[in-house]
Amino acid sequence: MTTVTTQPNRTSALLPVSTHQAEVAGLMSRTEIRRRRLEDCLGLALAEDLTAPVPLPPFDNSAMDGYAVHAADVASATAESPVTLPVAEDVPAGRGDAPALRRGQAHRIMTGAPLSPGADAVIPVESTDGGVAEVAVFSTTEPGRHLRRAGEDVGVGDTVARAGDRLSPARLGVAAALGLAELPVHRRPRVLVLSTGSELTEPGDALEPGRIYESNGVMLAAAVLEAGGEPTRLRVVPDDVGEFRAAVEPRLGEVDLLLTSGGVSAGAYEVVKDALTDQGVRFHKIAMQPGMPQGAGRYRGVPVVTLPGNPVSALVSFEVFVRPALLAAAGFREVLRPRTSATLEGDALRSPAGRRQYRRGRYHFDTGSVRVLGAPGSHLLSAMAESNCLLEIPSETTAVEPGTQVTVWLLDGPQNNAVPSADGQ
């Protein structure tokens, strides 16, 4: 028998996850609308509903290489007793003056070529001898076979994409087919990404005793890019308030969000908290694991979100708080990761009372089951790298037994963004 153990929330001093989500979501405004060439729109959010100015196809045309005919003229055709018709015209794709087809004749026609007036079917070349002056037809057909009628895909005035849709290759193809060279899109939010900590060393530099390589900056910049933003990563800033302010203040006028990691906990060298407390940024303890210390607000008028420094805490916090806000600011209608219910495999889970827990896991699409990867520790980044989902354990749940249905966030889902165009817009 599977069980879920629950307890009442006894940690009222902690801020609920939903409260901090709302605070972060309210910081950023939707970016302005720009018209951009189709080539520069991949992965951006459409800013206005897109309606068709022309039909697709724009005219009746052939769906096959073959022969335009009157179906009644080949009603008796068989392989043993073919019907032979004179070929009166060649109609290649692009011909703008397709002549009328008379009864008892055929027109040799190519895929995409305009249908000859009077023709009601196309015989594929494979069902003929491929003749040029005359053609032997080996099979019958029905009116309407192998034809593409004007507007059968899209009619004039049809909505083919809605505001907030991600512009995928297929959507851009539709726009091009409709003759549109530009689309109205939202600018990517510009995000300044900064990691703090005197113990941090840039990747590629020599690692001295007592120091670690900095990973959050690269990781969060990539997460920003995937979420529709345009990241700029600063080099590591040590635990010094003056150096922190000197690094960020010259860049604030260029960005829509300052995103930091580290320096927000309860230690003696919490540089982000020291620099931004009483400067418009509020710091909280959130009822979640990992990622309890968080901050959000405005510094000199610029939205700021401060994340904890442990790498798993930073990335999970980004998923829970920052990613939806960025997607909304970038103009997307769908901002949440796909969620589903899965059957827990493996060992039972334990979760702290009163805190919503997020565990890394591998969701199996074929069985609808999920297995936890790694321990809860917020420094264990390798398990996060192997995960394709997060398990969300409610704050009132302290134990989840194998076989129980749990909620998972699919990280390898359809919400991923394309890499931005060369100019980052």
Side-chain angles (χ1 to χ4, degrees), residues 56-234:
L56 290 180
F59 50 82
D60 294 347
N61 67 87
S62 175
M64 303 286 286
D65 292 336
Y67 297 84
V69 298
H70 293 275
D73 289 342
V74 297
S76 63
T78 65
E80 295 77 20
S81 180
V83 171
T84 300
L85 300 173
V87 179
E89 294 280 351
D90 264 356
V91 187
R95 181 170 178 175
D97 61 342
L101 177 69
R102 296 180 180 179
R103 290 296 304 269
Q105 294 182 340
H107 288 175
R108 191 167 66 156
I109 193 168
M110 301 299 111
T111 301
L115 184 66
S116 303
D120 61 8
V122 170
I123 295 288
V125 67
E126 294 83 358
S127 298
T128 73
D129 67 352
V132 177
E134 61 179 22
V135 61
V137 179
F138 302 133
S139 65
T140 62
T141 190
E142 300 173 354
R145 287 284 289 167
H146 303 304
L147 303 182
R148 302 166 178 162
R149 293 298 185 185
E152 75 173 46
D153 185 14
V154 176
V156 174
D158 286 353
T159 299
V160 296
R162 298 193 178 278
D165 283 344
R166 184 182 307 282
L167 289 169
S168 64
R171 286 193 172 113
L172 293 174
V174 170
L178 293 171
L180 302 173
E182 297 179 335
L183 290 175
V185 295
H186 286 278
R187 174 180 62 78
R188 294 180 181 274
R190 301 186 183 103
V191 182
L192 185 62
V193 179
L194 173 63
S195 297
T196 64
S198 296
E199 78 281 11
L200 301 178
T201 296
E202 282 287 329
D205 292 349
L207 193 64
E208 298 176 0
R211 299 173 70 92
I212 60 173
Y213 282 121
E214 199 279 311
S215 59
N216 285 358
V218 171
M219 179 176 68
L220 291 174
V224 167
L225 184 64
E226 187 191 73
E230 178 191 343
T232 298
R233 187 174 79 89
L234 293 181

Side-chain angles (χ1 to χ4, degrees), residues 30-49:
R30 187 160 289 184
T31 59
E32 66 270 18
I33 297 172
R34 297 177 175 178
R35 295 197 66 86
R36 300 187 63 80
R37 298 180 307 162
L38 296 187
E39 294 88 342
D40 299 328
C41 288
L42 180 63
L44 298 179
L46 185 65
E48 302 168 3
D49 288 356

Side-chain angles (χ1 to χ4, degrees), residues 366-412:
D366 54 344
T367 63
S369 60
V370 65
R371 182 178 293 271
V372 169
L373 299 182
S378 58
H379 63 294
L380 303 174
L381 186 57
S382 62
M384 188 80 191
E386 294 299 317
S387 298
N388 67 355
C389 71
L390 291 176
L391 289 78
E392 183 180 41
I393 312 301
S395 58
E396 66 274 12
T397 299
T398 58
V400 184
E401 300 297 329
T404 300
Q405 293 293 301
V406 294
T407 298
V408 299
W409 297 17
L410 302 179
L411 302 181
D412 296 334

